[in-house]
Amino acid sequence: MKIYTKTGDKGQTGLYSGRRLSKAHPRVEAYGTVDELNSFVGLLRDTVNDEAIRAELLAQQHHLFALGAAMADDRPGEAYRLPDHAATDLETSIDRMNEELPKMTHFILPGGAPAVSHAHVCRTVCRRAERRTVELAGEVELDDSIIIYLNRLSDWFFVLSRYLSLKMGVEEIRWIS
């Protein structure tokens, strides 16, 4: 199979239904940002040594890939859905990590170690994916679980950044106003 099809040479791409859209369409922007996030999650996973965290990151990559596929599928009732537990699993993980973290008494700047910084990049790209998805939801019908999941995932990346700092013995960088 050739990787280049030349079907996008005029600035359009195809959805699962076969319908063609501009590559600048909000749907393509939204699922493209989810794809970008997935790449950054892979980069983060490559910088983390803890196997349990690596496994959680890989699980999120699978969810993100499926989420992108769902957003590229404009066939009513046929698009992939996230598992019902995707967001609640993130909440459970957030709660588990928070049990070990010191109380947050200040704003935190990204940085301190590559893995911590990568987690913050994932958080901010996730927030952008969420914004693009909310914008898209104003135009097309999307399952509510998509926005809920992205919102929870960005929270998860923030807590993960703090958790990685703790586990690595890296001091959090406090924002000084």
Side-chain angles (χ1 to χ4, degrees), residues 135-169:
E135 178 183 35
L136 177 63
E139 295 183 22
V140 302
E141 188 174 325
L142 287 179
D143 189 280
D144 291 342
S145 67
I146 293 173
I147 295 171
I148 292 168
Y149 170 76
L150 288 171
N151 185 39
R152 210 66 79 249
L153 184 61
S154 61
D155 294 338
W156 184 78
F157 282 121
F158 176 74
V159 174
L160 179 62
S161 72
R162 296 194 69 220
Y163 187 75
L164 289 169
S165 290
L166 176 74
K167 291 300 177 185
M168 298 167 66

Side-chain angles (χ1 to χ4, degrees), residues 40-95:
F40 278 114
V41 175
L43 181 62
L44 171 58
R45 190 168 51 85
D46 288 344
T47 63
V48 172
N49 294 325
D50 183 297
E51 287 305 317
I53 295 172
R54 288 175 53 81
E56 284 191 81
L57 289 165
L58 183 60
Q60 300 318 313
Q61 285 190 278
H62 283 284
H63 287 325
L64 288 168
F65 197 88
L67 185 68
M71 294 170 76
D73 196 339
D74 60 337
R75 301 171 300 169
E78 294 188 44
Y80 181 87
R81 287 182 44 106
L82 285 171
D84 291 336
H85 57 83
T88 55
D89 285 354
L90 288 169
E91 292 169 3
T92 300
S93 180
I94 289 168
D95 292 344

Side-chain angles (χ1 to χ4, degrees), residues 112-141:
V116 175
S117 296
H118 290 314
H120 280 286
V121 170
C122 289
R123 173 185 56 80
T124 59
V125 174
C126 188
R127 286 285 187 214
R128 181 161 36 93
E130 181 184 8
R131 291 190 303 272
R132 298 298 180 262
T133 303
V134 167
E135 178 183 35
L136 177 63
E139 295 183 22
V140 302
E141 188 174 325

